[in-house]
Amino acid sequence: MPPKVKTVNFDRDLRALIDLTKTTQNLVTHFQSSLIPSANTASALDLTSIPNTLELTKASTTLLRSHTTTLSLLLLTPPLTPSALTKKIGEVSSGVLSNMVAAASNTPHPGQNDDLGQLMRAELRAQVRRLLGTWGEVLTLVLHAVERCGDVNGNGRGKDEGPTERFRQDVLAATGVVWEACDALLKICEEGVVGLVVKKAEEWRSVLLDAVEELKEWGEDVNEDEDEGRAEGSDGEDVGFGDEDEIFGAANKLGKGDKELKALLDTSVKKLKMVGMLYQALIKRRLKTFPITSSASKTTANGESRGVGPMTSLDQLMASLKYIPETVDDLASAFYDLDEREARKTLDKTCGEAKSAAELVKHSWSGQDDEFTTWSRKWVAMIEAS
């Protein structure tokens, strides 16, 4: 009689594990969808009780990493214990995941303090979505583990032979991917808004300078042979054509006679290098000095909120710094098409965006003149005179 009772309990636990795992898979899918930029998660989650978004994200991520480690050990240690797995998955689905998604979805209402800014909020959502995806793979492995002990209805099959070597490797690999995603999210929380904006600005500056170097090299690759081959051939069959590579390679090369376009290219390279200098100055004098504490909302006696200005300016600045390398791509395309008019127009747009960025934060975050204020004025004068 005791063995029969044990079997009944095991089958019951197995069915409970299957049900919870599948329910959690659906929950993970729902959470991932809710974190798509166009989605409005605020209406589905209670966000009023979040005191510190980054701290809540950090705490829930740390817990998820720990729970995943325990879960992987349960999967790898025979015999399979459905009740223990159910308890662990329940701890994750009932609190850890919802807290993490609530933090990533937290959007301040009008007049409410914004201590993250648009860039950090977008990064948190992207990283949490990635983490949810990795944890979904762990849930799939739980169902695979169930298959060796019973069927999809939770009916046990008998003795558990333990995990295969292939399954062990799959569990270890999936656990490692979750750890990596957790560590990446924890790093973002540790570095905070300043760390993220500095990192992004440096990446965009690198993209900008790479594009400048490519433009410079393209300008040096002058088509010296544009007039060759025009007298070749008989009966006019090959007049004006060289070999196949030359036919298609010469289309986007500067010719010796494109003096105006070459002069514009030289001017563009010079100005874009100056824009690269602006990035460097902004990173040092504005992004690294951004006062997180000053962006905190302060309420006056009549209920008005103060302190949202710096974060709004930071958001606008980062949007410009992201946009500039994109316009440089358009500029390069115009040059490759030998379209002088479009190249000139796009260069003006790029420089205009850079000047707007400098103007936006010409004063310090506290609204005072400083070294960057003086430097930015000189920089604007120099780029206009170039």
Side-chain angles (χ1 to χ4, degrees):
M1 180 62 81
K4 184 177 180 180
V5 172
K6 183 176 181 181
T7 300
V8 171
N9 289 339
F10 182 84
D11 290 351
R12 182 194 62 199
D13 292 343
L14 206 60
R15 283 193 294 271
L17 174 60
I18 293 171
D19 291 342
L20 179 60
T21 302
K22 290 182 177 180
T23 299
T24 305
Q25 283 180 320
N26 293 333
L27 181 65
V28 167
T29 300
H30 168 71
F31 280 156
Q32 285 184 296
S33 298
S34 73
L35 291 173
I36 295 175
S38 60
N40 181 12
T41 315
S43 60
L45 294 169
D46 179 14
L47 308 178
T48 59
S49 61
I50 299 178
N52 188 308
T53 302
L54 292 183
E55 285 302 319
L56 179 57
T57 302
K58 182 179 177 181
S60 55
T61 303
T62 301
L63 276 175
L64 183 61
R65 196 184 195 284
S66 175
H67 287 325
T68 302
T69 302
T70 304
L71 194 64
S72 66
L73 291 173
L74 290 172
L75 288 172
L76 295 176
T77 305
L80 191 72
T81 51
S83 58
L85 288 166
T86 298
K87 179 182 178 182
K88 187 55 59 178
I89 294 174
E91 290 173 349
V92 173
S93 62
S94 64
V96 177
L97 294 184
S98 58
N99 285 339
M100 181 183 297
V101 174
S105 306
N106 187 23
T107 303
H109 301 295
Q112 196 175 31
N113 173 49
D114 181 5
D115 61 346
L116 293 182
Q118 296 176 5
L119 189 65
M120 174 60 86
R121 193 168 290 107
E123 188 70 17
L124 284 179
R125 288 177 178 171
Q127 292 292 338
V128 171
R129 285 190 77 238
R130 176 195 172 204
L131 180 52
L132 289 171
T134 65
W135 211 73
E137 293 300 317
V138 175
L139 292 173
T140 299
L141 290 173
V142 172
L143 292 179
H144 288 171
V146 167
E147 291 176 358
R148 75 170 187 262
C149 299
D151 57 30
V152 292
N153 295 316
N155 299 313
R157 292 176 179 167
K159 185 178 180 181
D160 179 9
E161 300 295 338
T164 63
E165 182 59 29
R166 172 64 183 274
F167 182 78
R168 291 179 60 85
Q169 293 303 319
D170 288 345
V171 170
L172 292 174
T175 303
V177 173
V178 173
W179 284 352
E180 181 184 355
C182 286
D183 290 344
L185 187 51
L186 289 171
K187 183 177 181 182
I188 290 173
C189 294
E190 290 287 349
E191 294 180 347
V193 172
V194 171
L196 179 64
V197 296
V198 168
K199 176 185 175 182
K200 292 294 184 180
E202 289 174 341
E203 290 175 354
W204 295 330
R205 178 176 180 270
S206 179
V207 172
L208 169 66
L209 295 181
D210 286 345
V212 172
E213 194 61 31
E214 289 179 9
L215 271 177
K216 182 181 177 182
E217 292 177 1
W218 176 79
E220 294 170 350
D221 187 17
V222 178
N223 182 23
E224 299 286 354
D225 303 322
E226 59 181 352
D227 295 325
E228 292 184 8
R230 295 191 178 180
E232 297 179 0
S234 59
D235 299 326
E237 292 180 2
D238 297 322
V239 174
F241 295 92
D243 61 38
E244 185 177 349
D245 289 338
E246 290 175 350
I247 292 174
F248 296 101
N252 67 341
K253 286 185 180 181
L254 275 173
K256 289 186 293 184
D258 295 326
K259 294 183 179 179
E260 290 187 5
L261 191 62
K262 180 64 167 66
L264 179 59
L265 176 64
D266 292 341
T267 299
S268 298
V269 169
K270 181 179 179 181
K271 288 191 173 186
L272 292 178
K273 286 183 177 180
M274 292 180 64
V275 174
M277 292 172 57
L278 175 64
Y279 272 72
Q280 200 169 13
L282 287 170
I283 290 170
K284 181 178 181 180
R285 301 293 182 179
R286 288 295 179 258
L287 300 186
K288 289 185 176 180
T289 63
F290 183 75
I292 296 298
T293 53
S294 73
S295 67
S297 178
K298 297 179 180 179
T299 305
T300 61
N302 61 5
E304 294 178 350
S305 178
R306 293 179 179 176
V308 294
M311 186 60 76
T312 300
S313 296
L314 181 65
D315 283 338
Q316 295 172 352
L317 175 62
M318 297 308 293
S320 289
L321 296 184
K322 181 178 183 294
Y323 178 68
I324 289 171
E326 296 171 358
T327 66
V328 175
D329 284 342
D330 295 336
L331 176 63
S333 296
F335 275 114
Y336 298 156
D337 291 339
L338 306 181
D339 189 339
E340 180 184 347
R341 181 179 178 182
E342 186 63 24
R344 196 177 299 278
K345 176 182 174 182
T346 308
L347 177 62
D348 289 343
K349 181 168 64 174
T350 303
C351 293
E353 189 71 27
K355 288 189 289 184
S356 295
E359 176 68 21
L360 179 66
V361 290
K362 66 180 180 180
H363 301 299
S364 70
W365 296 114
S366 60
Q368 307 298 317
D369 285 357
D370 59 7
E371 292 179 358
F372 180 82
T373 308
T374 303
W375 182 91
S376 63
R377 288 172 182 154
K378 294 179 180 179
W379 179 88
V380 170
M382 289 177 62
I383 201 168
E384 289 178 344
S386 299

